[in-house]
Amino acid sequence: MEERIQLQVSGLVKRFGTETVLDGIDLCIRKGEVVVVLGPSGCGKSTLLRCMNGLESPSAGTIFLDGEEVTSDGKKITQLRQKIGMVFQSYDLFPNKNIMDNITLAPVKVQKRLKSEVEQDAERLLKRVGLWEKRKAYPRELSGGQKQRVAIIRALCMNPEVMLFDEVTAALDPEMVREVLDVMLELADQGMTMVIVTHEMQFARAIADRIIFLDNGNIVEDSKPDEFFTNPKTQRAREFLQTFAYKKRRTHTD
Amino acid sequence: MELNFDFMVKYLPWYIDAAILTVKIAFFGILLSLVVGVICSVVQYYRVPIIRRIISVYIEISRNTPLLVQLFFLYFGLPKIGIVWSAEFCAIVGIAFLGGSYMSESIRSGLESVEKSQIESAASLGMSNALTMKEVIFPQALAVSVPGICANVIFLIKETSVVSGIALADLMYVTKDLIGLYYETDEALLMLVVFYLIILLPISIIASIIERRLRYAGFGN
């Protein structure tokens, strides 16, 4: 991990109407760092991610990506978004395009790269996740896990500097969760800067360099994963982690 | 009932010419109405200020006045302010004026049906609004809109029968003419029906094939 700051969030506030979803977030993410954002639902995790690539515009505060401010200004934000890939819970592949076209569309049309060159990148990545045979298939012919891996590759082919993952396994069958998480682990090993929102606690612990715990729009805890999971600093985090522990309650007496 | 076949054979060329005119007016009118429909629906979809209001007014006028009235306005009304168009051109513009609003509503319902997450995922790839519309929203919207568009096409072809009202020798006009001249009412009406069916049945069949494909296959087959 380098010392260079990749993503700088300062005093970020986001309101929807009268409701304050993010209430002054300060966060500094270094290049190559893998940050997992945890927290109860409705705490603003997804909103934080969406602000980072300009899908939501902040009510107050600033976000800098590589020294450039993330604004909702049309031209500039499309420039900036090429540096920051995002993968969504619902995959959102384009159903009217086959897998290869889904992947090559933005690099060719937005970054004006050569189609053959992008296809080489796509081939390498598709082969690595075992989906090369599906290149001519349409999204509806793929399983959820396969779609999500394609969505990750689609974002990667833009050669982003940061990748945002918004609950990417939440809509998947348990068996398919693994295949997606493995792709993300590999990406982390390669030194990609990643911000991940997830409910997979084991995975969070394995992949994270840092855990951010959000509650009520505030960062309640910012610590190393081992520290967070074994010895959380705050009561709120302890309560949160307890909801994931199940005690055996029932015994069979028949 | 005895049909006068000699009469029918003799005036067949009249009907063929009239059918060609009907098809010509329908074809260009529908083509133009699609252009109008695409523009109006996209403007409404993006909620472009002011222009959007103007289009709403157009859509209400177009849908709530009869085609014959619209044609009279174009053919007899416009010359009063110095705009003189040929009857044929008026007919094409009239069909486009009427059809544009119907096409617009069909296409708009398709556009609205594309999920917002598709737009966000395109945005997150750095795609501009125009590129997203062209590559992502519009193709998906079209698949939803096609049944409505097909229904409009058939409706508009049938509506062309009104253009006889501004002295264009279409199928309806020729029929009325022949009945008036020779009182061969049965023959003339029979040929009228047959010619409309010749034009419309193939289009209906093609439309239902397209619709079935879209419903059962969708993208990927």
Side-chain angles (χ1 to χ4, degrees):
Chain A
M1 204 190 308
E2 299 172 31
E3 282 309 301
R4 188 155 75 86
I5 290 168
Q6 183 92 67
L7 202 58
Q8 169 105 44
V9 180
S10 337
L12 178 66
V13 176
K14 177 67 189 173
R15 293 187 203 94
F16 292 109
T18 53
E19 196 189 350
T20 305
V21 180
L22 295 175
D23 192 11
I25 301 280
D26 293 298
L27 183 62
C28 196
I29 296 170
R30 288 188 298 275
K31 190 166 170 50
E33 200 171 19
V34 177
V35 176
V36 173
V37 183
L38 298 177
S41 61
C43 70
K45 304 178 298 261
S46 293
T47 309
L48 176 60
L49 242 59
R50 291 165 60 82
C51 284
M52 283 178 179
N53 79 342
L55 285 178
E56 305 285 355
S57 47
S59 308
T62 54
I63 300 169
F64 281 89
L65 173 70
D66 245 355
E68 273 188 273
E69 186 170 3
V70 179
T71 59
S72 45
D73 172 44
K75 264 243 159 61
K76 220 173 140 204
I77 189 68
T78 52
Q79 281 285 321
L80 223 56
R81 277 175 181 149
Q82 295 172 35
K83 292 194 198 173
I84 185 160
M86 183 155 181
V87 186
F88 301 84
Q89 179 180 335
S90 48
Y91 341 118
D92 296 307
L93 298 179
F94 305 132
N96 54 320
K97 296 193 179 293
N98 69 25
I99 298 309
M100 190 49 113
D101 291 342
N102 257 282
I103 296 171
T104 57
L105 175 65
V108 172
K109 295 272 165 106
V110 178
Q111 294 181 323
K112 311 286 179 206
R113 283 159 60 196
L114 277 177
K115 190 155 193 211
S116 56
E117 178 200 315
V118 182
E119 278 178 345
Q120 274 175 13
D121 283 358
E123 179 177 349
R124 182 171 50 81
L125 290 163
L126 279 172
K127 278 183 174 159
R128 207 158 73 203
V129 300
L131 289 174
W132 174 239
E133 292 72 31
K134 300 282 186 189
R135 65 190 177 280
K136 292 262 190 300
Y138 280 80
R140 63 194 275 294
E141 300 168 73
L142 268 57
S143 73
Q146 291 172 330
K147 275 189 256 196
Q148 199 56 291
R149 280 179 285 164
V150 171
I152 293 172
I153 290 173
R154 185 174 68 172
L156 282 177
C157 270
M158 297 290 284
N159 296 323
E161 291 172 24
V162 183
M163 285 281 281
L164 309 174
F165 295 88
D166 189 6
E167 299 195 31
V168 290
T169 59
L172 296 179
D173 288 342
E175 285 172 16
M176 290 166 182
V177 169
R178 185 70 204 218
E179 60 195 35
V180 173
L181 297 186
D182 281 343
V183 174
M184 289 164 70
L185 278 167
E186 199 181 328
L187 210 54
D189 286 341
Q190 288 163 9
M192 175 66 77
T193 313
M194 295 159 81
V195 186
I196 302 166
V197 170
T198 185
H199 288 294
E200 302 285 336
M201 292 302 142
Q202 301 285 343
F203 170 69
R205 192 169 182 168
I207 200 171
D209 294 316
R210 217 168 127 197
I211 302 273
I212 302 286
F213 182 69
L214 275 186
D215 190 34
N216 277 329
N218 284 297
I219 295 181
V220 180
E221 226 175 301
D222 180 350
S223 39
K224 297 267 169 215
D226 281 336
E227 194 184 322
F228 179 79
F229 283 104
T230 50
N231 192 19
K233 281 177 270 191
T234 57
Q235 178 65 26
R236 188 69 193 84
R238 261 195 296 278
E239 281 167 21
F240 174 74
L241 286 172
Q242 250 149 37
T243 60
F244 290 93
Y246 293 94
K247 288 205 187 92
K248 193 175 178 186
R249 282 208 188 142
R250 279 166 31 127
T251 48
H252 290 277
T253 52
D254 55 311
Chain B
M1 187 173 75
E2 290 273 314
L3 284 176
N4 182 349
F5 285 102
D6 291 341
F7 173 85
M8 286 164 76
V9 172
K10 188 177 172 197
Y11 289 101
L12 189 64
W14 285 38
Y15 275 91
I16 291 172
D17 284 349
I20 289 168
L21 182 69
T22 294
V23 169
K24 189 174 155 196
I25 289 168
F27 179 79
F28 288 108
I30 288 166
L31 208 64
L32 208 57
S33 75
L34 277 169
V35 175
V36 173
V38 168
I39 294 169
C40 291
S41 60
V42 169
V43 167
Q44 295 232 316
Y45 180 73
Y46 284 120
R47 310 207 186 322
V48 181
I50 304 168
I51 307 177
R52 172 191 173 210
R53 300 274 169 224
I54 297 169
I55 286 173
S56 300
V57 171
Y58 153 66
I59 287 175
E60 291 311 318
I61 293 174
S62 151
R63 297 217 299 183
N64 293 305
T65 53
L67 178 59
L68 188 60
V69 174
Q70 295 171 7
L71 288 176
F72 275 16
F73 179 82
L74 291 170
Y75 191 63
F76 300 115
L78 287 185
K80 301 237 188 308
I81 55 165
I83 302 170
V84 183
W85 286 340
S86 73
E88 209 175 301
F89 190 72
C90 281
I92 290 169
V93 171
I95 292 288
F97 184 85
L98 176 74
S101 62
Y102 282 85
M103 292 297 186
S104 168
E105 293 297 274
S106 295
I107 298 168
R108 190 164 69 111
S109 68
L111 293 174
E112 306 279 0
S113 78
V114 177
E115 283 180 48
K116 197 156 173 273
S117 60
Q118 284 281 312
I119 297 154
E120 289 187 342
S121 106
S124 77
L125 289 165
M127 289 167 65
S128 64
N129 281 344
L131 187 62
T132 305
M133 176 50 82
K134 177 171 163 272
E135 298 283 347
V136 179
I137 305 173
F138 201 76
Q140 292 182 46
L142 209 56
V144 175
S145 303
V146 158
I149 291 173
C150 287
N152 291 344
V153 166
I154 291 163
F155 159 72
L156 290 171
I157 295 173
K158 289 190 287 193
E159 280 294 297
T160 58
S161 60
V162 171
V163 303
S164 59
I166 54 170
L168 273 171
D170 78 324
L171 289 169
M172 198 68 209
Y173 186 91
V174 166
T175 307
K176 283 191 282 187
D177 220 18
L178 288 176
I179 293 171
L181 283 170
Y182 304 110
Y183 297 112
E184 301 278 10
T185 313
D186 299 337
E187 290 78 0
L189 285 178
L190 180 67
M191 286 178 70
L192 176 67
V193 171
V194 168
F195 267 88
Y196 268 118
L197 286 177
I198 290 171
I199 296 171
L200 280 159
L201 273 181
I203 292 172
S204 281
I205 291 166
I206 292 167
S208 64
I209 290 171
I210 295 173
E211 278 171 39
R212 204 172 329 143
R213 285 228 173 143
L214 281 171
R215 196 171 334 138
Y216 294 116
F219 297 108
N221 289 63

